[in-house]
Amino acid sequence: MDNNQNINGYENKAAAVRKAKENSCIIPEKKTEDTKLGEILLNNGLITRDDLIFAVNEEIQSGKSVGRILVEEGKLKEAELVDFLSKYFCIERVNLNDLEIPKDIISLVPPEKAIKFRIIPYKKENETLYVAAADPTRKEIIEDISFLTGMSTEYGVASYSQIFDAMSKYFNASFILKTGKNVESAVSSTAESNEIIDIAKDGEGMNSVERYVDKVINDAVEHGASDIHIEFYRKFARIRFRIDGKLTEYSNTPPTAKSNIISRIKIMSKLDITEQRFPQDGRITVSMGEHEIDIRVSCTPTLFGEKIVMRILNKSSLTFNIDKIGFSEMHLKTLKDAINKPYGMILVTGPTGAGKTTTLYSILNELNHVSLNISTAEDPIEYDFPGINQVQVNEKLKNEKTGAYFNFAEALRSFLRQDPDVIMVGEIRDHETASIAIQSALTGHLVLSTIHTNKASSTVTRLINMNIEPFLAASSINLIIAQRLVRKLCGECREELPLESLKKIGISNPQNTGIKLFRANGCPSCNKTGYKGRTPIYEMLNITEEIRELINRGAPESEIEKLGIEQGMKTLADSAKEKFLSGITSLEEILPYINMK
């Protein structure tokens, strides 16, 4: 930049000159924004051209910075380099060895970012964050840190050795040990690779907002999150991850970046960036390593900007195997008996987020072989399965000839003309869909679906409330599965629980049980939550002839449930207790289901 432009953040030349006089700074007649450290040192006579050529070649081979190489090779002394850069850029010379940096300052910059950029935040004054760097030529670092923190950011200059020492001091416990590297190797390896998985395959041309959004997606996948929530309020904005069913805060973002973040996500998901008044839904497919991950995007207008929720559909992290998703031996036998019947209906019930889709996909995966024609109607299609004909319904799409909308019912009608063996419909939510599903089950097809009820026994009542005749429900249903998900205790940090806790689940003499109980603790492996992953709890109501008779005569669901228990059905409460007594989950996780009405 010329003398009429900013010099390291000062608004005009006069301000820079005044500052230079106060600090005996060097005021070069001409600087350009892309001037690199090596060129500056060469132009000011501190190194020779041969020194620079050697350092640049070594940088390519080792990933170390030019300045660090020159110091290590004895071409420059650290103190000499720091003193020169302080005067050249008119910035503070920082002695990190004499500072005790507060945790609230260190925490403003994520360790992985500080290590990649070779910087240390060391003070904050008047909403300006100061970061120490050995190479203060990189303007994009200041822009990136400003974006992340929402604060104006300025450089100070410190030696490489002091920066490495500070990283060991402040990041060793929280980051370096976790990566299994020492500070210097972590800095070198981070410099050689992208901090953020290059989802768009164009990392060199990505700006800070693009890198930030990709970083959020990458971290969400690595943490096993099912959803990303991006929310904007009057004075702050935040990002939260849903991990194992619980929302946890990931980071705060500057509200001023709102429009850029929203636009980036809308562009990725092919949404209209000019539309801010109505909700929009889109989809992103990203490649991470050998896996492709689908992300469903939902934008909804709120008071202070659009809220974005991104549902992560990571097939590689899920197990669609009915032998491995958490069924007990009894439940597994009941389910396999039902899916091996040539016709009838299997319904999976529970609230949103109970794992119903995983159960259905596991059943489909079990049935998926060349001898069966399997079709599904879904909204949306969450995972693709080769060998299964998956149809995306669209209730807004209207057939101009027939006037019919392409909903679940219309998809089912189409399937019946396609010689099906197995049909899966995403959800039964109205009389028309329920009626066609039941007719399909009665005419020689195996039908799978979900429905929203609290318990297995209340599913029959729900169908009758949709104006389905009791005798049709009784004749068509083979099995009803009610399920929930509970968090699993972290195997690395769970701690033993006193047996007296058994009294809370109805065991009056816990000392004679001979079992061990566990509770959540918390460690780095589980992000200090005490839990890692989730497991299902189930109740399965097998529709026997005796239960069919109860349904036919309109018996209340309490009577149906009572007979089911007499015939061997284990309730959700029973399943929850089993998971607790086997050490899989905690008392706190199962208590809501013990006295569930």
Side-chain angles (χ1 to χ4, degrees):
M1 62 181 74
D2 59 33
N3 289 336
N4 292 320
Q5 292 179 301
N6 297 347
I7 297 178
N8 197 45
Y10 294 100
E11 293 299 320
N12 51 55
K13 180 183 177 183
V17 171
R18 286 196 300 272
K19 187 72 176 177
K21 289 179 179 179
E22 293 170 6
N23 296 281
S24 300
C25 297
I26 301 169
I27 300 294
E29 286 303 312
K30 186 175 184 179
K31 289 184 187 177
T32 60
E33 290 186 3
D34 59 352
T35 303
K36 295 183 179 180
L37 177 61
E39 295 171 2
I40 293 171
L41 297 175
L42 176 64
N43 293 338
N44 284 271
L46 275 75
I47 60 173
T48 67
R49 181 161 296 279
D50 288 342
D51 293 336
L52 178 57
I53 293 172
F54 170 81
V56 170
N57 289 333
E58 184 66 20
E59 179 186 32
I60 295 171
Q61 296 296 321
S62 68
K64 297 179 181 178
S65 68
V66 166
R68 179 180 168 195
I69 293 166
L70 291 169
V71 169
E72 290 179 349
E73 292 297 319
K75 307 300 182 182
L76 281 172
K77 294 181 180 179
E78 270 198 323
E80 178 186 9
L81 178 59
V82 172
D83 185 60
F84 168 77
L85 292 175
S86 174
K87 291 179 179 179
Y88 184 85
F89 286 107
C90 197
I91 57 178
E92 181 180 13
R93 177 174 181 164
V94 187
N95 188 339
L96 294 173
N97 293 341
D98 292 342
L99 292 180
E100 187 62 39
I101 306 173
K103 289 183 179 179
D104 62 329
I105 300 297
I106 285 291
S107 64
L108 290 172
V109 179
E112 62 271 20
K113 191 169 287 290
I115 288 175
K116 177 185 178 181
F117 290 156
R118 302 179 176 93
I119 60 171
I120 289 289
Y122 65 94
K123 72 175 179 179
K124 185 176 75 170
E125 290 181 353
N126 300 324
E127 294 306 311
T128 297
L129 178 66
Y130 291 84
V131 296
D135 179 1
T137 63
R138 298 178 61 188
K139 182 181 177 182
E140 73 275 10
I141 292 177
I142 293 296
E143 293 175 346
D144 207 321
I145 300 302
S146 294
F147 173 75
L148 280 181
T149 62
M151 292 185 286
S152 173
T153 306
E154 299 285 351
Y155 272 128
V157 63
S159 68
Y160 287 99
S161 59
Q162 286 192 10
I163 289 175
F164 292 155
D165 289 345
M167 286 178 177
S168 295
K169 178 179 179 180
Y170 295 108
F171 297 150
N172 197 46
S174 62
F175 182 78
I176 302 300
L177 287 181
K178 183 178 178 181
T179 64
K181 303 170 182 174
N182 59 39
V183 170
E184 300 227 9
S185 66
V187 170
S188 295
S189 64
T190 307
E192 293 169 7
S193 61
N194 290 329
E195 174 196 8
I196 303 159
I197 289 183
D198 190 0
I199 297 174
K201 304 289 185 184
D202 61 350
E204 290 298 321
M206 296 171 71
N207 62 35
S208 57
V209 174
E210 293 171 337
R211 292 196 303 270
Y212 182 71
V213 170
D214 285 359
K215 168 71 171 170
V216 170
I217 294 172
N218 177 49
D219 285 355
V221 173
E222 286 191 349
H223 282 82
S226 61
D227 301 87
I228 303 169
H229 289 241
I230 304 176
E231 304 159 318
F232 299 95
Y233 300 93
R234 186 188 298 276
K235 294 184 179 180
F236 72 98
R238 71 182 177 191
I239 296 177
R240 295 185 290 171
F241 292 166
R242 188 177 294 280
I243 301 173
D244 295 335
K246 303 291 183 181
L247 280 172
T248 58
E249 189 164 297
Y250 166 71
S251 72
N252 289 319
T253 63
T256 54
K258 171 176 62 179
S259 60
N260 290 334
I261 292 174
I262 292 173
S263 294
R264 169 61 176 166
I265 294 172
K266 283 186 173 180
I267 289 170
M268 292 175 71
S269 51
K270 297 181 174 60
L271 298 178
D272 184 355
I273 64 173
T274 65
E275 180 56 74
Q276 301 175 2
R277 301 166 300 165
F278 296 101
Q280 295 188 75
D281 296 314
R283 196 167 192 143
I284 304 170
T285 300
V286 300
S287 179
M288 301 182 72
E290 298 178 355
H291 305 292
E292 281 194 353
I293 296 171
D294 285 332
I295 301 174
R296 293 207 318 257
V297 179
S298 172
C299 300
T300 301
T302 62
L303 184 58
F304 297 107
E306 293 170 277
K307 172 171 179 173
I308 295 177
V309 176
M310 306 169 74
R311 169 63 60 86
I312 299 171
L313 306 172
N314 186 2
K315 186 176 179 179
S316 66
S317 67
L318 296 176
T319 300
F320 296 125
N321 185 330
I322 59 174
D323 294 313
K324 296 181 179 180
I325 61 173
F327 289 111
S328 66
E329 289 186 11
M330 183 196 77
H331 284 149
L332 191 58
K333 183 180 184 306
T334 301
L335 178 58
K336 287 189 174 182
D337 287 345
I339 67 176
N340 285 326
K341 292 180 179 179
Y343 60 87
M345 189 155 59
I346 298 173
L347 296 176
V348 184
T349 182
T352 301
K356 300 186 298 296
T357 300
T358 300
T359 298
L360 284 180
Y361 279 162
S362 298
I363 295 172
L364 288 175
N365 200 40
E366 180 78 5
L367 293 169
N368 188 14
H369 47 80
V370 70
S371 62
L372 293 178
N373 177 22
I374 304 174
S375 297
T376 72
E378 305 175 57
D379 184 23
I381 297 172
E382 296 196 0
Y383 301 97
D384 64 283
F385 282 86
I388 294 178
N389 306 289
Q390 296 174 270
V391 174
Q392 168 75 58
V393 302
N394 184 352
E395 297 192 357
K396 297 178 182 178
L397 183 62
K398 183 178 181 180
N399 187 322
E400 296 299 330
K401 292 183 179 180
T402 64
Y405 290 92
F406 192 39
N407 53 21
F408 283 123
E410 191 65 18
L412 281 173
R413 288 192 186 94
S414 174
F415 290 166
L416 293 176
R417 297 188 291 271
Q418 293 272 313
D419 184 31
D421 296 297
V422 180
I423 296 171
M424 191 271 274
V425 57
E427 182 183 348
I428 293 176
R429 57 176 72 146
D430 54 47
H431 169 76
E432 186 179 24
T433 306
S435 178
I436 299 173
I438 286 173
Q439 290 299 327
S440 301
L442 292 173
T443 54
H445 308 96
L446 182 63
V447 179
L448 315 173
S449 189
T450 71
I451 192 168
H452 283 286
T453 61
N454 287 328
K455 297 191 294 183
S457 58
S458 59
T459 301
V460 177
T461 304
R462 177 83 177 104
L463 288 171
I464 292 173
N465 289 340
M466 292 180 184
N467 295 320
I468 298 299
E469 294 291 340
F471 76 91
L472 290 175
S475 302
S476 60
I477 302 173
N478 290 339
L479 181 68
I480 303 173
I481 306 170
Q483 71 178 71
R484 303 290 190 278
L485 293 175
V486 296
R487 292 184 293 172
K488 294 195 297 184
L489 287 167
C490 174
E492 296 186 25
C493 68
R494 66 178 186 174
E495 58 184 19
E496 200 163 336
L497 186 66
L499 290 178
E500 293 298 317
S501 301
L502 288 174
K503 292 181 179 179
K504 295 183 179 180
I505 60 172
I507 299 177
S508 57
N509 189 13
Q511 302 305 324
N512 297 326
T513 59
I515 62 174
K516 287 186 177 182
L517 307 177
F518 296 92
R519 62 185 170 194
N521 185 10
C523 67
S525 177
C526 60
N527 294 318
K528 299 186 178 180
T529 63
Y531 298 93
K532 201 169 185 180
R534 290 190 289 177
T535 188
I537 57 174
Y538 295 95
E539 65 180 26
M540 291 188 181
L541 180 61
N542 194 18
I543 308 301
T544 62
E545 290 303 319
E546 295 80 6
I547 290 178
R548 292 188 201 281
E549 291 179 11
L550 289 182
I551 297 172
N552 269 326
R553 63 180 176 84
E557 60 188 65
S558 58
E559 193 173 338
I560 294 173
E561 182 178 59
K562 181 181 178 182
L563 179 56
I565 292 172
E566 290 175 358
Q567 293 182 342
M569 181 184 80
K570 291 188 176 181
T571 64
L572 283 171
D574 295 330
S575 181
K577 288 178 184 178
E578 285 182 356
K579 298 286 185 179
F580 173 53
L581 295 175
S582 60
I584 295 173
T585 191
S586 68
L587 180 63
E588 289 76 17
E589 283 292 294
I590 70 162
L591 280 178
Y593 307 106
I594 298 301
N595 299 312
M596 193 177 79
K597 301 296 184 184

